[in-house]
Amino acid sequence: MCWAGRMILGIFRILLVLVHASGACEFGPFPYRTTGIVCRMTKPAGLLLNQETAQVIQAAFRNAKFPNITGERSVRLLGKVVYGLSNIQVNDLSIEKSDVELKEENAIHIAIKNVTASFKGTLTYGYAGAWFLQLFHAVDFEIESSIDLELNIELMCEEEQLAADASDCYLTFHKLTLHLQGDKEPGWLKQLFTDFISFTLKLVLKREVCKEINSLAQMLANFVLDLAANFVRDKDIVVDLSLAADSVIKTGYVESHHKGLVQYKNYSSTMSDSVFSPSLLTESRMLYFWLSEHTINSLASAAFLDGRLVLTIGGEKLQVLFETEDTEAQWKAVQMIFQGTSYNDSVAKVWSLTHPQISIQPEGTVVKSLVAVEVSILPAGQESLVALYMEKEITVTIQAAYAEKKLTLQPLNSSIEFKVFKCTADPSGNDPSIQNFMQNMISVAGIPEVISSIESALTTLMNNKGLNLFYLINPEIITREGYIIVQLDFDFPHHLLLDFLKKNL
C-alpha cells in the first residue's frame, strides 16, 4: 500500500499522501530501482476530495488571528484623523465554488470562487480640527466582503520526507463594504473610513488568511504522515515510507514513489532491482497502490522473526480439522493419534520453521514455507505427551480480495512434501494410513484453517489501524509477476476531517 491503507482529508489529502521531490532531495540516475511502494491518485479522486476544501478554507478564516489595524490620514478642513480597528472576528462565511487542477509544472492549483465573509469588530477614531476641535469615538463595525482565493500548492521533499508549501496564495476582493453601528446607508463618515482602511484591510486579510492556510496545509501534511507511518508500523515491524524518486504530476494524476523497506529490530531489507514503471498503472480508477514482491517478502520475514507465524488449535476447531470426512480410515487414524483422548484435552501447534518465500505471479501469491505441526495430548493426571510431530514443505497459491471491510484469502492449489514424520502410536512408521490421513487432512482442512486465521488476524490489524473508517468501493487486488496492484474508488469519510479540525484548531 502506498501505505496500504488510511489514507484520505479535503483536497489537501493530495498533499498528504503524494510527494513532489524538489532539489532538496537527490535520488540518483535510477531512482525507480529502489521503489517498493507507489501511490497514484487520479483526477476523479482530486475532484471528490475538493468537496472538502470548503471545510479547510472556513477553518483557515475562522482560525486566523487578525491584528489590530491602525492608521492616520490628514484631511483638509478636518485635520489629522487617527483610526484603529480592533477585535476583528469572522462572523458569517460561505463558499460558492471550488475547483482543482493538476498542473504538469509540479503544482496543484485550487481556485475558490466567491468566498462571502462578514467581519465584525470595533472602530475607534479621533481627529483634531483646524480650529483645535477634538472628537474621539468608538463604534461597532461590520465589513461585508466577497473574495476569490487562488492557491498554488507545491509538494516538496525535505530529507526524503513530505513538505507542503501553500504560501503561493492570492486573494482578489470583489466587494469590501464597511457598515458602522449597523447603519447600512452611505454617509460621509463611513465613506471617509472606507477609503482610509480598505487598502490596509485587504493586505491584513490576505496575509493572515494565507498564513493560516499554509500553516493548516503543513499541519495536515504532518498529521497524515504520522497516520500513514502508524498504519505501516505494528510494534517492532516498520515499513520505511521515505521517498525513492521524484513524484510525477500529470493533468490526470499525481503519483508518489516510496522505498517500502521493512525494518525489524536489527533486520532491515534492501532493494535495488524494482520492476516498477509508470506504465504499469492506468487512470481508470481513483486510487492505486503498487506493492513490490520484495516488500511483501520482507514483511513475511519480519513476521517470522517476530514469532507471529504460530497458530494454536484446540477444542472444537481441532475436532473439525481431524474429522474432515466420515470414513473408517479416518476413525482409525484419529484413534491412533489421540489414543482415545478428548479433543478438549488435546492441542495442535502449527508454526513456520523458516522464512516464508513469497513469489507474486499472475495466478496469485505463491507462498512456500517449511512448516512444523505438533499435536499434544493431555491425559488426566499425567504430563502432556507429544502424539504427533511432523515437518513439511508446503507450497500454496493464494488469491486475495477485500470486500465489506474484510480481507479474504482464497487458497487455490497446494502441494505438500513431508520432511519429518513421527507418531507415538506408530514409532516404526510402518503404517502408511496415518501419514496418508494427515496429508489429506492438511490439504482439505489444515491449510484453509491456517490461511483463515491469517486472514482474520490481518483484517483485525487493518481495522485497528482505521482502514474500516474509509468507504472503499469495489477494491481489486491484482497480481502480476513481481508485484501487486490494489486499485479502487472511494468516498470520503467527512467526519475524519471535521474531527481533525475540531481537535487541532
Side-chain angles (χ1 to χ4, degrees), residues 247-258:
S247 71
V248 176
I249 300 182
K250 300 291 184 181
T251 56
Y253 64 87
V254 184
E255 181 177 281
S256 65
H257 315 92
H258 307 265

Side-chain angles (χ1 to χ4, degrees), residues 191-442:
Q191 185 62 48
L192 173 67
F193 285 108
T194 298
D195 292 342
F196 280 2
I197 68 177
S198 61
F199 179 74
T200 303
L201 183 61
K202 289 178 181 179
L203 291 179
V204 170
L205 291 178
K206 175 188 181 302
R207 182 181 68 240
E208 298 304 322
V209 170
C210 287
K211 181 173 68 175
E212 186 61 29
I213 288 174
N214 191 34
S215 174
L216 187 56
Q218 295 178 18
M219 188 187 305
L220 284 166
N222 292 334
F223 171 74
V224 175
L225 277 177
D226 291 342
L227 205 66
N230 178 64
F231 194 90
V232 294
R233 173 193 296 271
D234 189 61
K235 297 180 181 178
D236 292 326
I237 300 176
V238 180
V239 178
D240 181 9
L241 295 180
S242 299
L243 302 179
D246 290 343
S247 71
V248 176
I249 300 182
K250 300 291 184 181
T251 56
Y253 64 87
V254 184
E255 181 177 281
S256 65
H257 315 92
H258 307 265
K259 292 180 179 178
L261 300 178
V262 177
Q263 302 167 352
Y264 172 76
K265 295 183 178 179
N266 295 328
Y267 167 81
S268 180
S269 62
T270 59
M271 179 174 58
S272 60
D273 57 353
S274 175
V275 298
F276 175 75
S277 168
S279 62
L280 298 177
L281 303 178
T282 67
E283 299 177 41
S284 60
R285 304 297 299 272
M286 294 171 69
L287 192 62
Y288 294 82
F289 299 113
W290 183 93
L291 312 173
S292 70
E293 179 180 283
H294 176 86
T295 298
I296 302 299
N297 242 322
S298 299
L299 281 170
S301 294
F304 168 77
L305 293 172
D306 199 42
R308 302 192 186 195
L309 304 184
V310 179
L311 176 63
T312 301
I313 305 171
E316 292 183 4
K317 280 194 174 184
L318 192 60
Q319 181 175 0
V320 171
L321 281 178
F322 278 89
E323 295 184 0
T324 55
E325 56 185 26
D326 187 13
T327 64
E328 184 177 350
Q330 172 196 274
W331 183 83
K332 287 181 62 177
V334 169
Q335 290 300 311
M336 290 180 67
I337 294 170
F338 289 93
Q339 302 176 34
T341 303
S342 167
Y343 290 111
N344 291 328
D345 296 324
S346 308
V347 64
K349 179 182 176 184
V350 184
W351 71 98
S352 183
L353 293 169
T354 59
H355 296 245
Q357 299 176 22
I358 295 179
S359 174
I360 311 298
Q361 299 296 328
E363 59 270 20
T365 301
V366 182
V367 181
K368 183 177 181 180
S369 182
L370 182 62
V371 176
V373 177
E374 182 179 273
V375 177
S376 300
I377 59 177
L378 311 170
Q382 302 180 37
E383 294 184 358
S384 63
L385 172 68
V386 176
L388 179 70
Y389 176 83
M390 54 186 171
E391 297 176 5
K392 55 193 182 299
E393 188 173 81
I394 294 179
T395 303
V396 58
T397 301
I398 302 170
Q399 284 188 346
Y402 187 87
E404 299 181 353
K405 304 185 184 300
K406 179 182 178 182
L407 178 68
T408 301
L409 302 177
Q410 179 64 42
L412 297 183
N413 53 65
S414 60
S415 64
I416 303 170
E417 181 182 350
F418 285 101
K419 300 295 184 179
V420 176
F421 192 93
K422 299 178 181 179
C423 181
T424 303
D426 182 28
S428 64
N430 294 328
D431 189 344
S433 62
I434 296 179
Q435 188 166 329
N436 292 337
F437 164 73
M438 289 302 302
Q439 180 151 353
N440 181 65
M441 185 273 291
I442 291 168

